[in-house]
Amino acid sequence: MEAAEPGAAGQTNASATLMLQLFSQLHGVQVDAARLARLLDGADQAVGAAEAVRLLTELGFTARHQRGGLRQLRRALPPALLELRNGEFMVLGRFEGDHALVQRAGQ
């Protein structure tokens, strides 16, 4: 995951939940929204990289936070969960040549 710049707001629980569900499904793991809500303790807080790593670890994934740019991103094994500089998340599906297939919440 790419780190957000300091002060970035992070992603809302609803859209972060969607991205974590999609990420899990792409890895063959079914996770329902209720379980993610329990892991988030129902708080209406922004979810950043550290919280996403904690959630993925609790869901059984080996997760780590890695900061970097395009070069590091190309070495990631898709699907990968990415945090943008504005604090939003998206899922990297794959690279094909100079193009990347990504999914953002609600799009």
Side-chain angles (χ1 to χ4, degrees):
M1 288 188 289
E2 186 174 336
E5 292 180 352
Q11 188 147 344
T12 64
N13 281 355
S15 54
T17 297
L18 287 173
M19 289 293 91
L20 290 167
Q21 282 182 291
L22 175 60
F23 177 84
S24 298
Q25 289 172 354
L26 291 171
H27 280 283
V29 176
Q30 296 299 316
V31 177
D32 64 7
R35 180 173 180 201
L36 286 172
R38 283 192 304 275
L39 290 173
L40 287 166
D41 295 327
D44 191 25
Q45 62 198 30
V47 176
E51 185 72 357
V53 168
R54 181 188 72 79
L55 292 167
L56 289 169
T57 301
E58 289 191 33
L59 293 172
F61 292 98
T62 300
R64 64 187 166 96
H65 178 243
Q66 181 174 333
R67 176 171 235 154
L70 187 57
R71 180 172 288 155
Q72 291 81 7
L73 187 59
R74 286 192 165 277
R75 291 193 302 240
L77 294 175
L81 186 65
L82 309 174
E83 184 182 16
L84 304 176
R85 290 187 177 159
N86 66 1
E88 293 181 1
F89 289 101
M90 66 181 179
V91 174
L92 169 67
R94 70 175 188 211
F95 271 107
E96 194 170 295
D98 289 336
H99 296 68
L101 175 65
V102 297
Q103 175 68 47
R104 293 177 74 174
Q107 297 181 346

XYZ file of all heavy atoms in Angstrom:
801
model
N 0.838 -1.177 0.000
C 0.000 0.000 0.000
C 0.872 1.225 0.000
O 1.905 1.245 0.643
C -0.870 0.015 1.243
C -1.967 -1.004 1.220
S -3.090 -0.800 2.582
C -2.061 -1.350 3.912
N 0.447 2.211 -0.713
C 1.165 3.473 -0.711
C 0.644 4.312 0.433
O -0.551 4.381 0.673
C 0.959 4.199 -2.029
C 1.789 5.441 -2.125
C 1.695 6.071 -3.486
O 1.382 5.378 -4.450
O 1.935 7.286 -3.553
N 1.548 4.925 1.133
C 1.158 5.701 2.308
C 0.520 7.010 1.914
O 0.863 7.609 0.902
C 2.383 5.976 3.179
N -0.386 7.441 2.723
C -0.985 8.762 2.542
C -0.023 9.801 3.083
O 0.784 9.527 3.957
C -2.311 8.845 3.282
N -0.114 10.996 2.552
C 0.694 12.078 3.076
C 0.203 12.421 4.472
O -0.971 12.247 4.784
C 0.591 13.298 2.174
C 1.240 13.080 0.830
C 1.138 14.297 -0.056
O 0.439 15.262 0.312
O 1.767 14.272 -1.110
N 1.091 12.912 5.342
C 0.647 13.286 6.680
C -0.530 14.250 6.599
O -0.557 15.153 5.774
C 1.882 13.974 7.273
C 3.037 13.395 6.517
C 2.515 13.137 5.126
N -1.499 14.000 7.425
C -2.665 14.851 7.473
C -3.775 14.431 6.535
O -4.833 15.030 6.520
N -3.544 13.398 5.723
C -4.603 12.932 4.827
C -5.741 12.389 5.664
O -5.541 11.760 6.694
C -4.068 11.862 3.888
N -6.946 12.629 5.216
C -8.118 12.305 6.019
C -8.383 10.823 6.151
O -9.000 10.388 7.095
C -9.345 12.989 5.412
N -7.950 10.017 5.225
C -8.277 8.606 5.254
C -9.609 8.376 4.563
O -10.261 9.301 4.089
N -10.005 7.141 4.482
C -11.232 6.776 3.778
C -12.325 6.499 4.798
O -12.077 5.995 5.871
C -10.975 5.538 2.921
C -12.122 5.197 2.024
C -11.643 4.593 0.721
O -10.503 4.682 0.359
N -12.559 3.976 0.022
N -13.553 6.821 4.432
C -14.658 6.555 5.340
C -14.798 5.051 5.537
O -14.370 4.256 4.698
C -15.974 7.108 4.775
O -16.283 6.409 3.570
C -15.896 8.599 4.534
N -15.411 4.668 6.633
C -15.609 3.249 6.913
C -16.367 2.546 5.798
O -16.047 1.424 5.433
C -16.345 3.060 8.238
C -15.432 3.210 9.426
O -14.219 3.363 9.278
N -15.996 3.177 10.609
N -17.396 3.186 5.257
C -18.219 2.541 4.233
C -17.414 2.207 2.990
O -17.461 1.079 2.492
C -19.401 3.435 3.873
N -16.649 3.152 2.468
C -15.889 2.867 1.256
C -14.679 1.985 1.543
O -14.307 1.154 0.719
C -15.489 4.143 0.528
O -14.808 5.017 1.377
N -14.063 2.128 2.715
C -12.958 1.240 3.084
C -13.471 -0.190 3.224
O -12.805 -1.142 2.811
C -12.311 1.702 4.385
N -14.663 -0.349 3.778
C -15.269 -1.676 3.903
C -15.470 -2.310 2.534
O -15.160 -3.484 2.325
C -16.612 -1.590 4.658
O -16.356 -1.109 5.981
C -17.289 -2.935 4.744
N -15.960 -1.522 1.569
C -16.136 -2.030 0.210
C -14.812 -2.490 -0.387
O -14.727 -3.551 -1.007
C -16.759 -0.961 -0.687
C -18.222 -0.651 -0.480
C -18.622 0.557 -1.328
C -19.077 -1.851 -0.831
N -13.767 -1.702 -0.217
C -12.461 -2.052 -0.780
C -11.879 -3.288 -0.099
O -11.301 -4.150 -0.742
C -11.486 -0.879 -0.666
C -11.801 0.274 -1.592
S -11.604 -0.093 -3.358
C -13.238 -0.652 -3.818
N -12.040 -3.393 1.226
C -11.541 -4.569 1.936
C -12.311 -5.824 1.532
O -11.730 -6.898 1.395
C -11.609 -4.347 3.444
C -10.609 -3.321 3.987
C -10.964 -2.934 5.419
C -9.192 -3.846 3.908
N -13.614 -5.686 1.302
C -14.407 -6.820 0.835
C -13.959 -7.246 -0.561
O -13.786 -8.434 -0.825
C -15.896 -6.481 0.817
C -16.549 -6.530 2.168
C -18.031 -6.229 2.051
O -18.420 -5.107 1.747
N -18.847 -7.241 2.271
N -13.770 -6.299 -1.458
C -13.333 -6.614 -2.810
C -11.958 -7.263 -2.786
O -11.723 -8.284 -3.443
C -13.304 -5.345 -3.670
C -12.757 -5.506 -5.084
C -13.601 -6.506 -5.881
C -12.708 -4.155 -5.787
N -11.042 -6.700 -2.020
C -9.699 -7.256 -1.886
C -9.767 -8.701 -1.409
O -9.124 -9.586 -1.970
C -8.881 -6.409 -0.908
C -7.509 -6.935 -0.643
C -6.467 -6.646 -1.502
C -7.259 -7.726 0.470
C -5.196 -7.132 -1.248
C -6.000 -8.215 0.725
C -4.955 -7.921 -0.142
N -10.571 -8.940 -0.389
C -10.711 -10.291 0.167
C -11.285 -11.253 -0.871
O -10.797 -12.369 -1.032
C -11.608 -10.269 1.406
O -11.034 -9.475 2.411
N -12.327 -10.823 -1.583
C -12.951 -11.677 -2.594
C -11.966 -12.029 -3.701
O -11.955 -13.162 -4.181
C -14.183 -10.999 -3.183
C -15.341 -10.936 -2.222
C -16.489 -10.093 -2.740
O -16.394 -9.449 -3.783
N -17.582 -10.069 -1.991
N -11.136 -11.080 -4.106
C -10.143 -11.346 -5.144
C -9.102 -12.356 -4.681
O -8.445 -12.997 -5.496
C -9.477 -10.051 -5.599
C -10.379 -9.104 -6.382
C -9.689 -7.763 -6.597
C -10.803 -9.720 -7.708
N -8.950 -12.489 -3.369
C -8.047 -13.487 -2.799
C -8.798 -14.760 -2.414
O -8.238 -15.642 -1.759
C -7.324 -12.925 -1.570
C -6.162 -12.051 -1.922
N -4.954 -12.542 -2.332
C -6.035 -10.705 -1.952
C -4.125 -11.564 -2.575
N -4.761 -10.429 -2.355
N -10.078 -14.853 -2.775
C -10.857 -16.057 -2.503
C -11.367 -16.176 -1.085
O -11.725 -17.257 -0.628
N -11.415 -15.057 -0.364
C -11.884 -15.048 1.026
C -13.152 -14.206 1.089
O -13.157 -13.046 0.678
C -10.813 -14.446 1.970
C -11.335 -14.356 3.395
C -9.530 -15.257 1.898
N -14.230 -14.797 1.581
C -15.491 -14.077 1.718
C -15.558 -13.413 3.093
O -15.423 -14.085 4.107
C -16.687 -15.024 1.539
C -16.772 -15.626 0.161
C -16.938 -14.578 -0.924
O -17.719 -13.647 -0.798
N -16.183 -14.728 -2.005
N -15.746 -12.113 3.103
C -15.846 -11.342 4.347
C -17.085 -10.472 4.231
O -17.233 -9.722 3.272
C -14.603 -10.452 4.564
C -14.756 -9.622 5.811
C -13.346 -11.292 4.620
N -17.966 -10.584 5.206
C -19.179 -9.770 5.126
C -18.980 -8.424 5.822
O -18.090 -8.245 6.649
C -20.400 -10.507 5.667
C -20.319 -10.825 7.150
O -19.375 -10.365 7.825
O -21.208 -11.527 7.634
N -19.811 -7.483 5.442
C -19.720 -6.121 5.972
C -19.908 -6.091 7.485
O -19.289 -5.282 8.176
C -20.739 -5.225 5.287
N -20.749 -6.974 8.012
C -20.991 -6.997 9.464
C -19.714 -7.352 10.224
O -19.428 -6.767 11.269
C -22.097 -7.991 9.789
N -18.933 -8.299 9.691
C -17.679 -8.666 10.360
C -16.705 -7.489 10.335
O -16.051 -7.199 11.337
C -17.049 -9.884 9.696
C -15.758 -10.299 10.365
C -15.205 -11.579 9.844
N -13.976 -11.905 10.545
C -13.071 -12.718 10.078
N -13.261 -13.351 8.930
N -11.976 -12.959 10.753
N -16.614 -6.826 9.197
C -15.731 -5.663 9.130
C -16.199 -4.566 10.073
O -15.380 -3.915 10.721
C -15.656 -5.139 7.696
C -14.828 -5.979 6.735
C -14.984 -5.468 5.315
C -13.367 -5.998 7.141
N -17.499 -4.369 10.183
C -18.032 -3.362 11.102
C -17.652 -3.696 12.540
O -17.297 -2.800 13.316
C -19.547 -3.265 10.951
N -17.721 -4.993 12.896
C -17.320 -5.404 14.257
C -15.831 -5.130 14.479
O -15.431 -4.673 15.546
C -17.631 -6.873 14.487
C -19.089 -7.160 14.764
C -19.310 -8.573 15.268
N -18.793 -9.588 14.369
C -19.435 -10.103 13.305
N -20.647 -9.667 13.014
N -18.888 -11.029 12.555
N -15.014 -5.413 13.464
C -13.575 -5.169 13.592
C -13.268 -3.679 13.715
O -12.293 -3.288 14.353
C -12.824 -5.762 12.392
C -12.781 -7.287 12.320
C -12.151 -7.740 11.009
C -12.024 -7.870 13.505
N -14.114 -2.866 13.112
C -13.950 -1.416 13.210
C -14.600 -0.854 14.470
O -14.546 0.345 14.716
C -14.551 -0.727 11.982
C -13.763 -0.886 10.695
C -14.592 -0.463 9.502
C -12.478 -0.083 10.766
N -15.223 -1.695 15.246
C -15.893 -1.297 16.489
C -17.001 -0.292 16.245
O -17.333 0.499 17.119
C -14.903 -0.731 17.508
C -13.903 -1.774 17.979
O -14.275 -2.961 18.056
O -12.754 -1.400 18.249
N -17.546 -0.265 15.036
C -18.649 0.632 14.729
C -18.294 2.096 14.735
O -19.151 2.947 14.571
N -17.024 2.408 14.914
C -16.615 3.815 14.956
C -16.738 4.430 13.569
O -16.485 3.785 12.568
C -15.174 3.925 15.454
N -17.145 5.671 13.510
C -17.259 6.370 12.234
C -15.993 7.182 12.023
O -16.024 8.387 11.856
C -18.495 7.261 12.233
C -18.795 7.791 10.841
O -18.392 7.133 9.866
O -19.407 8.852 10.747
N -14.871 6.479 12.033
C -13.582 7.142 11.896
C -13.020 6.868 10.510
O -13.439 5.956 9.832
C -12.605 6.598 12.940
C -12.351 5.096 12.741
C -11.753 4.447 13.959
O -11.999 4.871 15.064
N -10.988 3.396 13.744
N -12.076 7.696 10.109
C -11.408 7.466 8.835
C -10.463 6.277 8.978
O -9.851 6.076 10.018
C -10.637 8.713 8.420
N -10.386 5.475 7.919
C -9.505 4.311 7.907
C -8.280 4.662 7.080
O -8.400 4.997 5.906
C -10.223 3.080 7.306
C -9.286 1.905 7.209
C -11.445 2.721 8.139
N -7.117 4.590 7.705
C -5.860 4.847 7.014
C -5.079 3.562 6.829
O -5.580 2.462 7.084
N -3.842 3.694 6.386
C -3.010 2.530 6.082
C -2.805 1.632 7.303
O -2.928 0.410 7.203
C -1.665 2.980 5.524
N -2.494 2.208 8.460
C -2.237 1.407 9.652
C -3.476 0.589 10.043
O -3.374 -0.588 10.381
C -1.800 2.292 10.810
N -4.639 1.217 9.974
C -5.887 0.520 10.313
C -6.197 -0.566 9.284
O -6.640 -1.656 9.635
C -7.042 1.524 10.402
C -8.344 0.925 10.854
C -8.374 0.553 12.335
O -7.375 0.707 13.039
O -9.440 0.100 12.778
N -5.930 -0.294 8.010
C -6.168 -1.291 6.965
C -5.269 -2.512 7.172
O -5.717 -3.655 7.034
C -5.943 -0.690 5.584
N -4.013 -2.287 7.525
C -3.092 -3.401 7.801
C -3.600 -4.209 8.987
O -3.615 -5.441 8.962
C -1.652 -2.892 8.040
C -0.767 -3.990 8.607
C -1.070 -2.347 6.739
N -4.056 -3.528 10.035
C -4.593 -4.233 11.210
C -5.801 -5.080 10.823
O -5.896 -6.247 11.205
C -4.997 -3.234 12.305
C -5.554 -3.913 13.567
C -6.128 -2.918 14.552
N -7.377 -2.328 14.123
C -8.571 -2.930 14.216
N -8.680 -4.148 14.701
N -9.671 -2.310 13.818
N -6.721 -4.503 10.051
C -7.919 -5.236 9.634
C -7.564 -6.441 8.772
O -8.098 -7.535 8.977
C -8.865 -4.312 8.870
C -9.527 -3.212 9.698
C -10.181 -2.196 8.787
C -10.512 -3.803 10.677
N -6.683 -6.256 7.809
C -6.290 -7.373 6.940
C -5.616 -8.484 7.740
O -5.852 -9.665 7.495
C -5.376 -6.878 5.818
C -6.070 -6.039 4.757
C -5.050 -5.378 3.839
C -7.047 -6.885 3.955
N -4.799 -8.106 8.713
C -4.146 -9.104 9.567
C -5.185 -9.875 10.366
O -5.121 -11.099 10.467
C -3.126 -8.425 10.501
O -2.159 -7.739 9.695
C -2.426 -9.440 11.382
N -6.173 -9.175 10.913
C -7.235 -9.847 11.671
C -8.093 -10.741 10.792
O -8.702 -11.693 11.273
C -8.095 -8.820 12.406
C -7.363 -8.180 13.565
C -8.266 -7.375 14.463
O -9.441 -7.753 14.628
O -7.786 -6.368 15.011
N -8.132 -10.449 9.485
C -8.883 -11.287 8.547
C -8.056 -12.476 8.057
O -8.534 -13.280 7.273
C -9.349 -10.452 7.350
C -10.394 -9.381 7.662
C -10.618 -8.491 6.443
C -11.699 -10.032 8.113
N -6.803 -12.566 8.518
C -5.967 -13.710 8.174
C -4.956 -13.474 7.069
O -4.236 -14.394 6.671
N -4.860 -12.251 6.570
C -3.890 -11.947 5.526
C -2.549 -11.574 6.144
O -2.486 -11.115 7.278
C -4.361 -10.765 4.671
C -5.563 -11.066 3.827
C -6.829 -10.696 4.246
C -5.434 -11.736 2.623
C -7.945 -10.972 3.478
C -6.533 -12.022 1.854
C -7.796 -11.639 2.270
N -1.496 -11.772 5.388
C -0.200 -11.234 5.753
C -0.140 -9.865 5.106
O -0.137 -9.757 3.876
C 0.943 -12.127 5.226
O 0.799 -13.424 5.792
C 2.292 -11.547 5.577
N -0.152 -8.842 5.902
C -0.235 -7.479 5.379
C 0.889 -6.640 5.948
O 1.326 -6.837 7.076
C -1.582 -6.862 5.743
N 1.345 -5.714 5.127
C 2.351 -4.757 5.590
C 2.147 -3.457 4.848
O 1.587 -3.422 3.759
C 3.763 -5.272 5.376
C 4.147 -5.464 3.943
C 5.528 -6.137 3.842
N 5.758 -6.604 2.507
C 6.440 -5.920 1.597
N 6.966 -4.762 1.918
N 6.616 -6.391 0.391
N 2.598 -2.410 5.450
C 2.500 -1.081 4.854
C 3.814 -0.800 4.148
O 4.879 -0.941 4.739
C 2.242 -0.046 5.951
C 2.182 1.339 5.443
N 3.074 2.294 5.818
C 1.339 1.934 4.581
C 2.784 3.434 5.223
N 1.736 3.235 4.457
N 3.741 -0.438 2.894
C 4.950 -0.127 2.143
C 4.737 1.179 1.400
O 3.747 1.344 0.695
C 5.252 -1.240 1.141
C 6.506 -0.992 0.349
C 6.853 -2.178 -0.533
O 6.509 -3.309 -0.226
N 7.508 -1.906 -1.632
N 5.645 2.066 1.553
C 5.557 3.370 0.892
C 6.357 3.299 -0.406
O 7.415 2.703 -0.452
C 6.132 4.432 1.814
C 6.188 5.784 1.195
C 6.544 6.822 2.190
N 5.450 7.775 2.063
C 5.027 8.575 2.980
N 5.580 8.582 4.144
N 4.032 9.389 2.762
N 5.823 3.908 -1.447
C 6.581 3.915 -2.686
C 5.786 4.473 -3.837
O 4.650 4.907 -3.683
N 6.395 4.415 -4.980
C 5.780 4.936 -6.189
C 5.538 3.835 -7.196
O 5.371 2.659 -6.849
N 5.559 4.207 -8.445
C 5.239 3.284 -9.526
C 6.187 2.089 -9.581
O 5.761 0.962 -9.817
C 5.244 4.026 -10.866
C 4.771 3.248 -12.071
C 3.361 2.708 -11.855
C 4.834 4.101 -13.319
N 7.457 2.311 -9.350
C 8.433 1.206 -9.392
C 8.091 0.137 -8.349
O 8.058 -1.049 -8.655
C 9.843 1.728 -9.165
C 10.884 0.607 -9.210
C 12.284 1.134 -9.186
N 12.521 1.748 -10.489
C 13.404 2.696 -10.717
N 14.130 3.172 -9.744
N 13.563 3.204 -11.924
N 7.799 0.537 -7.121
C 7.435 -0.414 -6.085
C 6.082 -1.044 -6.388
O 5.860 -2.213 -6.112
C 7.404 0.255 -4.705
C 8.749 0.661 -4.181
C 9.243 1.971 -4.765
O 8.528 2.666 -5.483
N 10.488 2.313 -4.482
N 5.187 -0.264 -6.951
C 3.858 -0.756 -7.278
C 3.928 -1.881 -8.310
O 3.214 -2.873 -8.218
C 3.006 0.398 -7.799
C 1.543 0.136 -8.044
C 0.871 -0.329 -6.760
C 0.875 1.403 -8.554
N 4.808 -1.763 -9.277
C 4.961 -2.803 -10.297
C 5.436 -4.121 -9.696
O 5.208 -5.170 -10.271
C 5.915 -2.357 -11.387
C 5.294 -1.336 -12.311
C 6.191 -1.160 -13.527
N 5.484 -0.478 -14.572
C 4.664 -1.065 -15.431
N 4.437 -2.346 -15.363
N 4.070 -0.364 -16.368
N 6.112 -4.066 -8.550
C 6.594 -5.291 -7.905
C 5.545 -5.920 -6.993
O 5.724 -7.033 -6.519
C 7.865 -5.002 -7.112
C 9.053 -4.678 -7.999
C 10.340 -4.718 -7.226
N 10.336 -3.810 -6.104
C 11.185 -2.817 -5.927
N 12.125 -2.592 -6.805
N 11.115 -2.049 -4.870
N 4.464 -5.211 -6.738
C 3.396 -5.742 -5.880
C 2.715 -6.905 -6.585
O 2.565 -6.919 -7.803
C 2.380 -4.648 -5.572
N 2.318 -7.880 -5.813
C 1.584 -9.016 -6.364
C 0.098 -8.705 -6.305
O -0.482 -8.663 -5.228
C 1.888 -10.290 -5.566
C 3.319 -10.788 -5.650
C 3.502 -11.976 -4.711
C 3.686 -11.163 -7.070
N -0.525 -8.462 -7.457
C -1.958 -8.166 -7.447
C -2.776 -9.380 -7.040
O -2.333 -10.489 -7.275
C -2.258 -7.776 -8.891
C -0.959 -7.623 -9.590
C 0.054 -8.367 -8.778
N -3.923 -9.210 -6.471
C -4.499 -7.915 -6.149
C -3.835 -7.309 -4.918
O -3.454 -8.017 -3.996
C -5.968 -8.246 -5.886
C -5.984 -9.672 -5.479
C -4.833 -10.320 -6.179
N -3.702 -6.010 -4.934
C -3.083 -5.284 -3.830
C -3.984 -4.111 -3.445
O -4.652 -3.529 -4.297
C -1.706 -4.764 -4.237
N -4.009 -3.808 -2.178
C -4.787 -2.678 -1.676
C -3.862 -1.467 -1.635
O -2.795 -1.521 -1.033
C -5.335 -2.995 -0.285
C -6.285 -1.988 0.325
C -7.570 -1.902 -0.493
C -6.612 -2.381 1.756
N -4.272 -0.389 -2.288
C -3.454 0.811 -2.372
C -4.145 1.965 -1.667
O -5.355 2.131 -1.785
C -3.240 1.207 -3.839
C -2.737 0.124 -4.777
C -2.733 0.648 -6.202
C -1.363 -0.352 -4.371
N -3.352 2.760 -0.961
C -3.887 3.979 -0.370
C -3.330 5.153 -1.153
O -2.116 5.279 -1.321
C -3.505 4.111 1.102
C -4.133 5.333 1.742
C -3.735 5.533 3.183
O -2.758 4.932 3.639
O -4.415 6.317 3.853
N -4.214 5.986 -1.645
C -3.803 7.153 -2.413
C -3.376 8.273 -1.482
O -3.661 8.248 -0.280
C -4.967 7.617 -3.296
C -5.521 6.555 -4.243
C -6.727 7.109 -4.994
C -4.459 6.062 -5.196
N -2.743 9.270 -2.018
C -2.279 10.399 -1.196
C -3.405 11.158 -0.535
O -3.217 11.788 0.490
C -1.428 11.337 -2.032
C -0.112 10.706 -2.372
C 0.817 11.631 -3.049
N 2.073 10.919 -3.246
C 2.965 11.248 -4.123
N 2.777 12.288 -4.893
N 4.058 10.543 -4.236
N -4.604 11.087 -1.116
C -5.749 11.780 -0.507
C -6.411 10.929 0.575
O -7.410 11.326 1.150
C -6.770 12.181 -1.567
C -7.443 11.004 -2.222
O -7.182 9.847 -1.895
N -8.309 11.286 -3.177
N -5.856 9.730 0.851
C -6.370 8.882 1.910
C -7.385 7.852 1.454
O -7.781 6.997 2.231
N -7.813 7.901 0.187
C -8.750 6.904 -0.325
C -8.002 5.632 -0.704
O -6.801 5.657 -0.960
C -9.492 7.450 -1.547
C -10.411 8.595 -1.214
C -11.156 9.110 -2.441
O -10.965 8.560 -3.543
O -11.919 10.064 -2.277
N -8.750 4.521 -0.760
C -8.169 3.242 -1.148
C -8.672 2.830 -2.516
O -9.752 3.228 -2.945
C -8.566 2.137 -0.158
C -7.907 2.255 1.172
C -8.591 2.786 2.243
C -6.603 1.835 1.359
C -7.996 2.896 3.486
C -5.990 1.940 2.589
C -6.690 2.476 3.660
N -7.874 2.026 -3.190
C -8.326 1.343 -4.396
C -7.613 -0.001 -4.458
O -6.616 -0.225 -3.772
C -8.082 2.172 -5.648
C -6.665 2.414 -6.003
S -6.633 3.432 -7.499
C -4.896 3.612 -7.702
N -8.177 -0.902 -5.250
C -7.601 -2.231 -5.401
C -6.922 -2.308 -6.761
O -7.525 -1.975 -7.785
C -8.687 -3.329 -5.279
C -8.108 -4.695 -5.592
C -9.294 -3.313 -3.883
N -5.664 -2.711 -6.751
C -4.919 -2.952 -7.978
C -5.207 -4.373 -8.418
O -4.928 -5.326 -7.687
C -3.422 -2.774 -7.741
C -2.486 -3.245 -8.850
C -2.654 -2.369 -10.088
C -1.050 -3.238 -8.372
N -5.812 -4.518 -9.595
C -6.142 -5.839 -10.115
C -4.985 -6.482 -10.841
O -4.646 -7.636 -10.611
N -4.358 -5.707 -11.748
C -3.209 -6.234 -12.497
C -2.571 -5.135 -13.316
O -3.152 -4.080 -13.538
C -3.624 -7.386 -13.391
C -4.473 -6.965 -14.560
C -4.755 -8.128 -15.468
N -5.418 -7.620 -16.659
C -6.278 -8.284 -17.355
N -6.597 -9.497 -16.998
N -6.817 -7.772 -18.420
N -1.361 -5.426 -13.755
C -0.652 -4.579 -14.703
C -0.652 -5.277 -16.051
O -0.514 -6.496 -16.133
C 0.815 -4.381 -14.286
C 1.028 -3.207 -13.389
C 1.298 -3.387 -12.053
C 0.975 -1.924 -13.898
C 1.504 -2.309 -11.230
C 1.179 -0.833 -13.078
C 1.446 -1.025 -11.745
N -0.822 -4.503 -17.099
C -0.727 -5.025 -18.453
C 0.021 -3.982 -19.267
O -0.540 -2.927 -19.604
C -2.126 -5.281 -19.015
C -2.134 -6.128 -20.261
C -3.540 -6.538 -20.617
O -4.154 -7.281 -19.831
O -4.016 -6.093 -21.674
N 1.285 -4.244 -19.551
C 2.109 -3.246 -20.227
C 2.278 -2.023 -19.354
O 2.702 -2.113 -18.210
N 1.902 -0.877 -19.893
C 2.000 0.381 -19.146
C 0.684 0.769 -18.490
O 0.517 1.892 -18.033
C 2.435 1.521 -20.081
C 3.881 1.391 -20.515
O 4.649 0.736 -19.791
O 4.233 1.943 -21.569
N -0.269 -0.144 -18.460
C -1.592 0.139 -17.918
C -1.852 -0.711 -16.677
O -1.389 -1.839 -16.585
C -2.674 -0.153 -18.967
C -2.572 0.719 -20.160
N -1.535 0.656 -21.056
C -3.385 1.699 -20.611
C -1.715 1.546 -22.009
N -2.832 2.196 -21.767
N -2.617 -0.128 -15.758
C -2.994 -0.840 -14.537
C -4.519 -0.928 -14.483
O -5.217 0.021 -14.851
C -2.485 -0.119 -13.302
N -5.022 -2.055 -14.036
C -6.447 -2.230 -13.803
C -6.693 -2.008 -12.327
O -6.138 -2.699 -11.480
C -6.878 -3.645 -14.202
C -8.321 -4.018 -13.911
C -9.266 -3.155 -14.749
C -8.553 -5.486 -14.205
N -7.498 -0.986 -12.001
C -7.778 -0.637 -10.611
C -9.273 -0.475 -10.410
O -10.025 -0.236 -11.354
C -7.056 0.657 -10.177
C -5.551 0.508 -10.236
C -7.503 1.845 -11.001
N -9.702 -0.630 -9.163
C -11.099 -0.414 -8.792
C -11.124 0.491 -7.577
O -10.453 0.229 -6.589
C -11.793 -1.732 -8.459
C -13.204 -1.594 -7.962
C -14.157 -1.095 -9.018
O -14.146 -1.586 -10.124
N -14.961 -0.099 -8.686
N -11.911 1.560 -7.688
C -12.107 2.469 -6.561
C -13.512 2.293 -6.034
O -14.405 1.904 -6.772
C -11.893 3.921 -7.005
C -10.448 4.187 -7.387
C -10.266 5.577 -7.878
N -10.320 6.510 -6.738
C -10.076 7.790 -6.847
N -9.792 8.312 -8.015
N -10.146 8.566 -5.796
N -13.710 2.611 -4.784
C -15.032 2.475 -4.169
C -16.043 3.331 -4.907
O -15.790 4.490 -5.220
C -14.977 2.893 -2.700
N -17.185 2.727 -5.227
C -18.273 3.454 -5.862
C -18.078 3.724 -7.332
O -18.853 4.444 -7.935
N -17.041 3.165 -7.919
C -16.790 3.410 -9.358
C -16.675 2.101 -10.103
O -16.325 1.115 -9.599
C -15.537 4.223 -9.567
C -15.655 5.597 -8.964
C -14.421 6.432 -9.189
O -13.366 5.952 -9.561
N -14.548 7.708 -8.953
